Amino acid sequence: MNQYKEMVAVAIAAHVPEIDMRDISTMIETPPEAHMGDYAFPCFRLAKTMRKSPQLIAEDLSNKITYPDIFEKCMNEGAYVNFFFNRKKLAEEMIDQVLAEKEFFGSSKEGNGKIICIDYSAPNIAKPFHVGHLRSTVIGNALYKIYSHLGYTCIGINHLGDWGTQFGKVIVAYRNWGDAKAIEKEPIQSLLDLYVKFHEEAEDNPVLEDEAREWFTKMEKGDEEALSLWKWFSTETIKELEKIYALLGVKFDYYTGESFYNDKMEPVLRDLADKNLLTESQGATMIDLEAYGMPPCLVQKSDGSTLYATRDITAAIYRKNTYDFFKCLYLTDYSQKLHFAQWFKVIELMGFEWHLDLLHLPFGRVTHEGRRIQTRKGTVVLLDEVLNGAIDRVKEIIEEKNPNLENKLETAVAVGVGAVVFNDLSNNRIKDISFSWETAFSFEGETGPYVQYTHARACSVLRKASEAAIGQSNHLDGQFLTDDISYEVIRQIEQFGDSIVDAKNKNEPSILTRHIIDLAQAFNRFYHDHPVLNAEPKQRNARLALVAAVKETLSTGLSLLGIQAPEKM
RNA sequence: GCGGCAUUAGCUCAAUCGGAUAGAGUACCUGACUUCGAAUCAGUUGGUUGCAGGUUCGAGUCCUGCAUGCCGCGCCA
């Protein structure tokens, strides 16, 4: 917990013995408006036990309380006890801290020794990577960085959809209508064409579906032809996927897709049988979950081949045994909620205590022009097109605004991709996103480029200050940063660490995204109203130090979201 | 049919375990570049928080019912 909040809680606890210290900590709030102070303690809940009006309690407390000198005063307003920072001291403390800790600002050791497995992205082999797949990838990537910042050891796993009946379909299609050269040239597109063709043909000829299931069964049994085709399809697809991940700057520790567990499922099925959890129904094998209000969880089809849930259960057990994770996070859209609830329950029924450490983090779906994005229909928006479109648009803007920029292409990639990623990370996970080209290509207001621009602007001031090379004392006098506008920037920096912890607690990167927007807004206001380079020497020093602290904080924040922070753009 | 999620300004979204006057961006209109980067800043306009009840000091937030939308419900993943 935030050290200042802790101080407030301690100060209050000294006078409110009837409430536990930990409860007091959780009651401390940040007031909605700056004039109400920096931290507040609401007294409503004390009214009953203390048999006094909340206003009186607040008044009484504010008169009695003693607090450390980082605070300047505490006074009640209505039923709240409001604490005000000593602005000069806080400015000096925060800036010193940011400049000393640099990219480690806001980090902590709370997660030391704890392992977090994060299962994200997980696209299907042989299908195009569209804007709908972006969310899992960027949310997972941001959580990876946020947890790491807080001391956890993260293991990023790309649980590729590289196994299952769909491969039987592609194999059947390839054997009937495929062209090897086309696949080498444009793997994802050609494989998709085959997949689409399969479904068209299967409508008139349902026998194809049976053939597809047979081929998948052959894969599971180790048939050489089936496996060599599968291997080829998946290698070609991964090559394409890696280009996109490179553009996004996303990395994984392991590409262990579903196929990785092919030889690990049998012992799990045996264990399930030993624990008397399996029932047979119409030839298939399943775990009955009626007692828990859920439909059964199928683990084996009537032909003996396995299903998605079988592989997920096996993967979870493998990960627990291999990494001994503290938590294992799964990033998928909410249409899979029941699936996860079912197999989490199976893990529990198997007697594994750690079922509580499995966390499905569902997110909303992406639609385009009111329709869901479907690979088989014509409604697909390819991520590749979106990213490159954004990059091209940024190139145009650079030509217009900053034609002499060096590294134009590199910068356009950082900003264009940053815009798309930032946009995806700025809404609550659970909300559906309506994709629009207009929003994806907007770079003003609450956008990634706005924050990047603010950062570049700060860099520019610092560059000029150093070019001017005026030899002044580095002593920072916080007195020059106590006006409302400067102070608001300090306040945002002070809350940076809290927003990271909050984002982690709720597994919600948008909390951090919104916070760095607030910081950038506060800084732009400061920048506009307060000249830095031409200020009086002492004031100049103080303002430059603030600019440096903001630059550092923004760049750290963006990096935790997986977004680059170019020094010029 | 059963279950889950969502609904806040014209649009896209915030709102700290229930807390202070529901806030931003965008769009529209107005103003600020010979001055540290105008991808910026300032201002104006914009609300019966889907509807009806309930719980209490206090409800966008919790409960009940209803409406609308999305998602899911045995051999896909």
Side-chain angles (χ1 to χ4, degrees):
Chain A
M1 124 121 59
N2 172 318
Q3 54 171 327
Y4 303 119
K5 210 183 220 182
E6 191 73 27
M7 290 175 191
V8 169
V10 169
I12 288 168
H15 296 277
V16 187
E18 49 273 75
I19 299 186
D20 190 83
M21 172 66 198
R22 271 169 309 183
D23 293 334
I24 291 181
S25 299
T26 62
M27 287 166 76
I28 310 289
E29 307 169 357
T30 304
E33 301 206 27
H35 70 83
M36 297 166 173
D38 300 291
Y39 286 105
F41 179 73
C43 298
F44 303 99
R45 265 178 256 175
L46 297 179
K48 263 183 194 160
T49 52
M50 296 179 75
R51 295 169 165 274
K52 272 201 316 194
S53 82
Q55 285 79 2
L56 272 177
I57 297 170
E59 202 178 324
D60 203 36
L61 274 175
S62 62
N63 289 330
K64 284 197 293 200
I65 272 176
T66 53
Y67 40 81
D69 67 358
I70 186 77
F71 291 100
E72 184 175 84
K73 61 177 178 181
C74 110
M75 54 193 291
N76 80 297
E77 191 173 328
Y80 291 86
V81 184
N82 292 332
F83 290 78
F84 293 76
F85 275 121
N86 176 317
R87 294 185 171 192
K88 170 176 150 61
K89 284 206 166 75
L90 184 74
E92 290 170 0
E93 254 188 60
M94 289 320 301
I95 291 176
D96 280 350
Q97 199 183 334
V98 176
L99 298 184
E101 297 181 359
K102 297 191 185 299
E103 72 269 29
F104 298 107
F105 180 62
S107 68
S108 85
K109 294 181 175 162
E110 69 157 82
N112 281 10
K114 290 176 182 158
I115 298 198
I116 308 287
C117 286
I118 309 180
D119 183 320
Y120 57 113
S121 199
N124 289 324
I125 295 293
K127 285 196 197 166
F129 201 94
H130 61 66
V131 286
H133 296 115
L134 182 64
R135 302 208 75 192
S136 177
T137 310
V138 298
I139 296 172
N141 188 51
L143 289 176
Y144 188 108
K145 287 170 191 267
I146 288 168
Y147 272 93
S148 299
H149 202 63
L150 296 176
Y152 295 87
T153 302
C154 293
I155 296 174
I157 302 168
N158 196 346
H159 191 66
L160 294 165
D162 63 356
W163 204 247
T165 310
Q166 73 212 27
F167 282 93
K169 294 178 182 177
V170 180
I171 289 174
V172 169
Y174 176 74
R175 286 168 50 90
N176 284 331
W177 318 287
D179 172 6
K181 279 181 192 157
I183 291 178
E184 271 160 19
K185 201 172 163 200
E186 271 193 301
I188 295 185
Q189 189 55 49
S190 320
L191 291 169
L192 174 66
D193 290 344
L194 286 175
Y195 187 71
V196 171
K197 173 94 172 161
F198 175 89
H199 282 277
E200 285 166 4
E201 298 286 334
E203 279 196 19
D204 304 325
N205 186 7
V207 177
L208 288 170
E209 298 274 2
D210 294 332
E211 279 181 36
R213 278 191 282 270
E214 277 166 33
W215 274 98
F216 174 56
T217 309
K218 283 189 185 180
M219 279 167 63
E220 288 211 316
K221 290 186 174 157
D223 178 90
E224 213 168 291
E225 183 186 358
L227 282 180
S228 76
L229 282 174
W230 164 78
K231 187 73 202 160
W232 178 43
F233 297 156
S234 92
T235 316
E236 291 299 322
T237 313
I238 290 173
K239 275 192 220 160
E240 288 288 293
L241 287 173
E242 279 178 335
K243 289 183 199 164
I244 295 206
Y245 291 135
L247 205 52
L248 289 171
V250 171
K251 291 194 178 121
F252 299 91
D253 296 303
Y254 299 103
Y255 277 80
T256 42
E258 295 184 53
S259 64
F260 178 77
Y261 303 97
N262 184 34
D263 59 357
K264 300 173 180 61
M265 287 184 280
E266 208 185 299
V268 173
L269 286 167
R270 223 180 304 128
D271 193 19
L272 283 162
D274 289 346
K275 289 173 176 164
N276 284 322
L277 292 169
L278 299 181
T279 29
E280 208 173 293
S281 167
Q282 298 161 28
T285 311
M286 58 179 224
I287 295 111
D288 185 10
L289 298 174
E290 205 181 339
Y292 310 97
M294 288 187 279
C297 179
L298 264 78
V299 291
Q300 247 180 332
K301 295 192 267 193
S302 43
D303 67 359
S305 61
T306 63
L307 288 145
Y308 187 40
T310 330
R311 296 187 280 278
D312 267 344
I313 292 166
T314 305
I317 293 171
Y318 172 85
R319 289 174 193 170
K320 184 63 188 177
N321 292 338
T322 310
Y323 311 117
D324 192 24
F325 55 74
F326 172 69
K327 299 281 175 196
C328 184
L329 316 180
Y330 294 86
L331 279 300
T332 80
D333 77 65
Y334 57 59
S335 69
Q336 298 193 32
K337 271 179 89 165
L338 177 60
H339 163 73
F340 280 95
Q342 284 177 302
W343 76 258
F344 285 3
K345 179 56 82 176
V346 172
I347 294 283
E348 180 185 352
L349 294 174
M350 290 177 87
F352 296 125
E353 289 286 323
W354 48 267
H355 73 272
L356 293 169
D357 303 326
L358 301 170
L359 247 49
H360 179 220
L361 306 175
F363 51 81
R365 296 159 62 91
V366 180
T367 56
H368 182 222
E369 288 166 0
R371 291 182 302 179
R372 53 183 289 195
I373 292 172
Q374 283 176 298
T375 308
R376 274 186 256 159
K377 307 268 171 69
T379 54
V380 67
V381 181
L382 298 179
L383 183 60
D384 202 44
E385 290 174 37
V386 176
L387 292 177
N388 286 309
I391 292 167
D392 287 344
R393 180 75 193 102
V394 172
K395 279 186 200 158
E396 287 170 23
I397 296 175
I398 290 175
E399 282 310 327
E400 182 190 319
K401 296 181 189 281
N402 199 357
N404 298 321
L405 181 69
E406 57 268 32
N407 311 324
K408 277 184 199 171
L409 179 61
E410 206 178 303
T411 308
V413 169
V415 176
V417 173
V420 175
V421 172
F422 193 94
N423 178 244
D424 215 279
L425 291 175
S426 46
N427 295 349
N428 280 344
R429 268 188 1 237
I430 202 67
K431 296 282 180 84
D432 285 335
I433 288 187
S434 168
F435 175 83
S436 91
W437 292 98
E438 201 185 329
T439 310
F441 292 178
S442 75
F443 308 126
E444 289 168 18
E446 295 172 336
T447 65
Y450 172 84
V451 178
Q452 288 171 318
Y453 175 79
T454 310
H455 172 266
R457 197 181 215 190
C459 289
S460 169
V461 175
L462 295 170
R463 230 172 8 245
K464 294 208 163 121
S466 120
E467 281 162 14
I470 303 167
Q472 269 138 10
S473 144
N474 283 325
H475 175 71
L476 163 66
D477 187 348
Q479 194 56 49
F480 294 102
L481 301 171
T482 55
D483 65 282
D484 286 351
I485 289 177
S486 309
Y487 180 64
E488 184 54 28
V489 180
I490 300 285
R491 203 169 174 250
Q492 293 298 335
I493 291 175
E494 193 263 313
Q495 286 172 5
F496 181 69
D498 281 1
S499 81
I500 297 172
V501 172
D502 205 16
K504 171 243 142 194
N505 285 340
K506 294 178 176 146
N507 293 301
E508 184 65 89
S510 67
I511 292 171
L512 178 57
T513 313
R514 307 208 80 88
H515 187 265
I516 63 175
I517 290 174
D518 291 343
L519 172 59
Q521 283 175 338
F523 176 75
N524 280 322
R525 224 166 287 139
F526 163 85
Y527 178 90
H528 187 262
D529 285 4
H530 296 327
V532 177
L533 297 175
N534 297 326
E536 293 303 311
K538 282 185 174 175
Q539 194 164 54
R540 183 177 188 273
N541 268 347
R543 288 180 177 169
L544 270 175
L546 183 60
V547 173
V550 168
K551 180 219 139 185
E552 207 60 63
T553 310
L554 286 179
S555 122
T556 304
L558 285 170
S559 127
L560 292 176
L561 297 172
I563 296 170
Q564 295 185 61
E567 303 224 329
K568 295 179 183 174
M569 61 187 268

